[in-house]
Every structure is written in structure tokens, then in C-alpha cells.
Amino acid sequence: MNRMSGPDTIAALAGPKCLYVDSSALEHNAREVKKVLGSRVKLLAVVKGDGYGVGGVEAARVFVSAGADYLGVSSVPEGVELRKAGIRAPVLVMNPILKEECVTAIEHDLEVAVASRQGVFDIADASRRVGRVARIHLEIETGLGRTGLPVGTVAGVLEELRSQEGVRLCGVFTHMAEAHRDEASFRQFARFQAALRHVPPGLLRHVANSGTFLRFPDMRLDMVRIGTLLYGQLPFGIRNAALSLKSVWDFRARVLFIHDVGPGDTIGYGGDYSARRPMRIAVVSAGYSDGFGLTAVSRPKDLGDLARYIVKMVLSYLGKGRGEGGAVRFECGVAPVVGRIGMQLTMVDVTGLPVSVGDEASVSIRPTAGARLPRVYLRDGAPYLIRMPWGEMRPVEYEKSIDVE
Ligand SMILES: *Cc1c(COP(=O)(O)O)cnc(C)c1O
């Protein structure tokens, strides 16, 4: 029995809540994408935003071992974090960087996107100061309306690059706005193709994010930049994919306290939930600091919307329905939230459920919100690594040998 890597160890190390991240699922998803790509098209695994919330460093390690050729981040500090963790794969910083960051980028062997003529001068200048070649990818703006060189300026910037010795052009790319729409995608791709007429051969040409990769095989070119699919999600506007993706994360929070209330008792801040019957209330260690309950408050758009809203309120008045705050899921059943969700604590109705203090509930969040949550990494269902809220990585095996004496 591997007691030390069981739930007791997790609680002892990580506290009452953590984001479980299934590294086997990350690896599976990367291999699924690789299978479709074959050996000719490279995979850039996007690990920006702390690996879409699951932890950028560990996600990067898993993707590289599953065959990713490149890693993509959005800023220089994210790239530096990968290098400090000993990751040596090519890393592309996909967003424009500041002049002040150019030296750091070159020193850490990060490839950078350049999206303006000034960007060429800044990186060339830094390359002279560091005494090392800077590797860049030119970004071309084709319709997202965000960053990149207008198609008409590409020839001039390439001309400029020829006279900058310290700068090596490695790739050229654009980013798609609406991969779920045909016409907009074709229009962007055609603009990109037009810009490519000025570009010398032998560069990495890359366009496709998850949605584009799925819907337009012709747009995969030399490399695809995939995030969403690797994390087991489908891109916006796409309902199914010819890939078998596995879900990657599960946020679990423990019950810290249980109490009984009677009719007329109020629950939570503001006193705006009033019990109508005897209830058993569990207090769960999750709140809006973890990204729980952060759904936008919206105003009904039309009468239909208003009617739905009223039905929900009536159901909630009658003690039926899920309530506005959502619900958490125990192994033995679903418990609706009652009262306001707090920063760190949430009350749920467990009347009739055999829930005890210390039990774990699954809580649905976007992991990008819970930046300070511990991440517990699982391989084949067993924990092997914990990232503590302060960033320290603790192998679970290591803990085992300490606790055994
Ligand atoms: C985030 C991002 C991607 C990945 O997009 P997904 O839709 O998550 O696959 C690709 N390229 C760039 C430039 C990005 O910023």
C-alpha cells in the first residue's frame, strides 16, 4: 500500500484544496495531436498563462517528452521560468516584447516574435550588446486586429533585416481570429500567403491554433501552435473533433466544517439566504480567490431571458434548482451552494448526503484563476509531484522517504 502518496499526504502537504493535474492526460492529448500531424509538421505546444493554469513548467516537460518540437509562451518572464527549470527545447515568445526585455530574451535563448520595424532595431541592438545572435519570427497581421506587421510593410522590414547581422530570421507567422468561420479564415490565410511571396524559403511558416488545425489541414504548413486541445478542451465554436481528448484538471476542496440550521436561520454574508427547512450545511474550502463563482452578472437581454431568470429565482425560492451560485460534486452526490460565495469559504447544502468533515468535493473553476492553488500532478492516477503555492516543486516520492522513519 502506498499510503504516503494517498490523500492524507496530499492534505498534509498541500492543505485543504488543490488542483489535480493529470499528466498522463496531457501526454495523451499531445500524442493525439502528433498522430494527426505526422512527422513533417512540427508541434509548438503553447504553455502561456502558466500552462493555461495547470502549471507551465510541468506542462512543458510533459509536452516535450510527448514529442513537442517547440514551446510557446506569451512573455519573456514565462520563457525565463522554463529555462530556469532546465527546459532546453526551443521557446518562442509569441507576443511583442518590450525593448527593455530584449537582452534577457537573448541571454535565455528565447526566440521572439517581432511585429514592427522598431522591434527589429531593438532586438538587433540587444544582440550587439549581448554578443549573441537573436532568433526571431516575424508576425504578420492578417485580420485579428491585434499585433503584427501589415502585409504591405513586410518587404521593407525583410530588407531591413538583411543588414542586421546579429538577427536570424527563423520563422514567419500570423494568428487567426475566428477559426470556426470559413470565410474569415480563408481571407486571413490568403493575406498571409500574399505576404509569404516576399519571404525567403526555408523559414518555419506557422498559422494554425487549435481550431485552425482541426478545421483546415491546408493551413498547418510547417508548424502548428496548439494550446486548447492539449489541455483537453475544444476551441470556441467547435463541438467535436476527430481526436480523443482526455480532460486534464480537477479542482478539489475539502469540507472544513459541518453544521445544522433550522427554518429562519440565515447563511453567509449579507444574510441573504434564509433556510426554510432544517438543513445540513457543509463549509467547503473554496471561494472566489480560487476562481469559483466568478460567472459574470448579466442583465436579461430580452423577455425570454427575463422569464428564464424569474423561473430560476422561483425555483430557488422553493428550494429547488441549483441556485445561482452553482454546486459542488461529492462522490455521493451534488450539493448546491447556499448563500454568497466567500473569498475562501463556501457553504453548500448536504442535507441527506453522507458527507463528513475532510471529504473532498469537485468544484468547477477555470484553473487560470486559481494561480495560488497547489497543483498536484498525477501519472497513471498516482501523485508524483506537488507545486506548492509559493512555487516550490516537491516530488511526492521524496516525502515518502522522510515520513517513513
Ligand atoms: C494562445 C495562442 C495560441 C494557441 O491557441 P489555442 O486556440 O489555445 O490552440 C496560438 N498562437 C498564439 C499566437 C497564441 O497567442
Side-chain angles (χ1 to χ4, degrees):
M1 188 184 68
N2 193 1
R3 188 178 65 86
M4 298 322 298
S5 61
D8 298 348
T9 318
I10 304 297
L13 285 174
K17 54 185 173 183
C18 57
L19 188 75
Y20 288 94
V21 179
D22 185 347
S23 296
S24 306
L26 289 171
E27 182 178 339
H28 167 89
N29 295 339
R31 291 200 194 280
E32 280 292 293
V33 171
K34 287 283 290 181
K35 231 191 286 172
V36 175
L37 290 175
S39 58
R40 207 182 46 79
V41 181
K42 286 184 168 28
L43 169 62
L44 178 148
V46 180
V47 296
K48 67 186 179 193
D50 197 25
Y52 287 48
V54 305
V57 166
E58 193 55 17
R61 283 209 183 98
V62 173
F63 294 148
V64 168
S65 83
D69 304 278
Y70 256 84
L71 297 165
V73 294
S74 56
S75 68
V76 173
E78 286 182 339
V80 170
E81 188 189 10
L82 298 180
R83 292 293 182 238
K84 288 216 186 294
I87 290 166
R88 316 190 64 90
V91 172
L92 172 62
V93 181
M94 302 182 297
N95 294 349
I97 69 172
L98 295 172
K99 174 172 88 208
E100 294 84 346
E101 297 178 290
C102 289
V103 165
T104 308
I106 297 169
E107 284 174 345
H108 289 84
D109 198 20
L110 305 175
E111 300 181 18
V112 299
V114 170
S116 68
R117 185 180 284 267
Q118 186 60 45
V120 172
F121 299 139
D122 294 343
I123 197 77
D125 187 44
S127 137
R128 280 188 291 274
R129 274 191 283 155
V130 180
R132 248 156 78 178
V133 168
R135 297 167 61 89
I136 70 162
H137 296 231
L138 275 190
E139 186 189 6
I140 299 169
E141 157 60 30
T142 58
L144 176 58
R146 201 168 73 173
T147 53
L149 294 164
V151 172
T153 66
V154 173
V157 170
L158 283 167
E159 188 56 42
E160 189 63 57
L161 268 171
R162 272 190 271 279
S163 60
Q164 300 290 353
E165 284 194 357
V167 183
R168 181 172 315 144
L169 181 59
C170 302
V172 52
F173 73 105
T174 193
H175 193 36
M176 303 297 261
E178 313 176 77
H180 59 293
R181 291 221 173 83
D182 290 355
E183 211 176 307
S185 301
F186 291 136
R187 197 165 41 227
Q188 276 195 268
F189 193 62
R191 285 193 190 128
F192 185 67
Q193 297 281 43
L196 283 184
R197 282 202 290 273
H198 308 286
V199 172
L203 300 181
L204 275 179
R205 300 159 305 156
H206 47 107
V207 165
N209 55 5
S210 291
T212 312
F213 156 79
L214 285 177
R215 298 201 58 233
F216 307 105
D218 289 349
M219 300 186 195
R220 291 174 190 157
L221 301 179
D222 303 313
M223 181 158 82
V224 297
R225 304 184 307 268
I226 308 289
T228 303
L229 295 173
L230 300 182
Y231 301 96
Q233 309 277 299
L234 286 179
F236 177 80
I238 294 179
R239 297 247 157 58
N240 52 37
L243 294 173
S244 92
L245 298 175
K246 289 191 177 161
S247 76
V248 166
W249 66 76
D250 184 15
F251 172 46
R252 300 269 183 108
R254 309 279 190 127
V255 172
L256 295 178
F257 191 82
I258 293 183
H259 65 290
D260 295 305
V261 299
D265 291 344
T266 63
I267 297 164
Y269 285 127
D272 47 15
Y273 185 94
S274 173
R276 286 169 199 288
R277 53 183 167 83
M279 293 168 94
R280 197 160 166 262
I281 303 297
V283 182
V284 174
S285 61
Y288 57 77
S289 76
D290 309 306
F292 183 42
L294 292 182
T295 43
V297 178
S298 60
R299 185 161 156 212
K301 283 192 293 293
D302 50 30
L303 288 176
D305 233 24
L306 180 62
R308 273 188 292 279
Y309 181 75
I310 291 171
V311 168
K312 261 196 208 164
M313 291 312 283
V314 170
L315 283 175
S316 134
Y317 178 80
L318 296 174
K320 306 215 160 45
R322 286 288 169 78
E324 281 304 285
V328 306
R329 182 177 297 277
F330 291 96
E331 229 161 65
C332 57
V334 171
V337 170
V338 290
R340 292 188 201 175
I341 291 174
M343 189 187 288
Q344 304 279 5
L345 296 175
T346 298
M347 280 67 85
V348 300
D349 176 11
V350 293
T351 310
L353 293 176
V355 166
S356 337
V357 168
D359 284 0
E360 270 187 335
S362 250
V363 181
S364 87
I365 59 161
R366 280 179 168 282
T368 40
R372 298 273 295 172
L373 286 171
R375 268 76 175 148
V376 176
Y377 295 96
L378 312 170
R379 194 174 285 128
D380 301 324
Y384 66 95
L385 181 71
I386 302 182
R387 187 179 84 177
M388 304 303 281
W390 51 93
E392 183 192 346
M393 296 285 212
R394 303 182 77 157
V396 173
E397 285 298 309
Y398 169 68
E399 288 306 318
K400 186 161 61 177
S401 61
I402 281 193
D403 276 16
V404 153
E405 20 128 26

